[in-house]
Amino acid sequence: MLRDLWTGTFAALGAAVFSQGPNFLNQYRQALAQRLDEVINLGRDMRVRAPGDSAGLQLVAGREAELRAAHAAVVEAHPFTRPFAVSYHLDMSVFNVTMDKFVPSVPLTTEALAYAGLGLLAGIVVARLPLALWRRFAPPRRRTMRG
């Protein structure tokens, strides 16, 4: 009974956490687009105000290229591969802004339901895996004879 409660708790926790995934990824995408706009505007201003600063313009152009690639990868990714696209192109400054401003929501989309299902399964695995490993690798218990 205790094992079922333990598993159920982890399963529910996994479902709750994973169901926030689509919302977080959407907010990350929005923050990434905003940062890209800021860098584009910075480059435009630098070309007007300091056209001779080629080193600064190269830095801004490089940053813009990074953000464009990351934004394109995140926007074009399938909903179930989007977490991998974000982790591959992760920009920590955008991630930190997203974490600071993240507001959990009640997920009512099919995508969030699928993520919750994956979280449910992940929670079950997290709850049961340590016990399964213990049973597999722990030395057998000795039984004593009682008289």
Side-chain angles (χ1 to χ4, degrees):
M1 183 171 124
L2 188 58
R3 185 178 73 177
D4 292 338
L5 179 63
W6 177 260
T7 302
T9 300
F10 271 87
L13 186 62
V17 169
F18 274 51
S19 70
Q20 295 301 312
N23 185 29
F24 179 81
L25 294 172
N26 186 42
Q27 289 183 27
Y28 179 85
R29 182 191 52 78
Q30 291 171 351
L32 189 62
Q34 183 178 6
R35 182 63 52 92
L36 177 60
D37 288 343
E38 290 170 358
V39 170
I40 290 170
N41 290 335
L42 177 64
R44 189 178 304 129
D45 288 347
M46 284 183 70
R47 281 185 211 95
V48 170
R49 294 182 184 173
D53 185 10
S54 63
L57 285 171
Q58 284 180 344
L59 283 173
V60 171
R63 179 75 172 136
E64 182 180 338
E66 288 174 10
L67 290 173
R68 278 188 192 278
H71 187 262
V74 170
V75 169
E76 294 169 5
H78 186 274
F80 295 115
T81 61
R82 194 166 292 137
F84 302 109
V86 167
S87 65
Y88 184 74
H89 295 280
L90 186 65
D91 185 288
M92 285 308 294
S93 64
V94 174
F95 179 81
N96 290 334
V97 167
T98 306
M99 284 299 292
D100 289 342
K101 295 182 179 181
F102 179 69
V103 178
S105 66
V106 177
L108 299 175
T109 63
T110 306
E111 183 182 354
L113 180 63
Y115 273 74
L118 291 172
L120 185 80
L121 294 175
I124 291 170
V125 168
V126 167
R128 297 262 172 120
L129 187 62
L131 183 59
L133 290 174
W134 176 258
R135 285 183 183 160
R136 173 82 172 114
F137 296 110
R141 287 190 279 173
R142 293 182 184 216
R143 296 188 180 201
T144 59
M145 300 285 286
R146 293 187 184 182

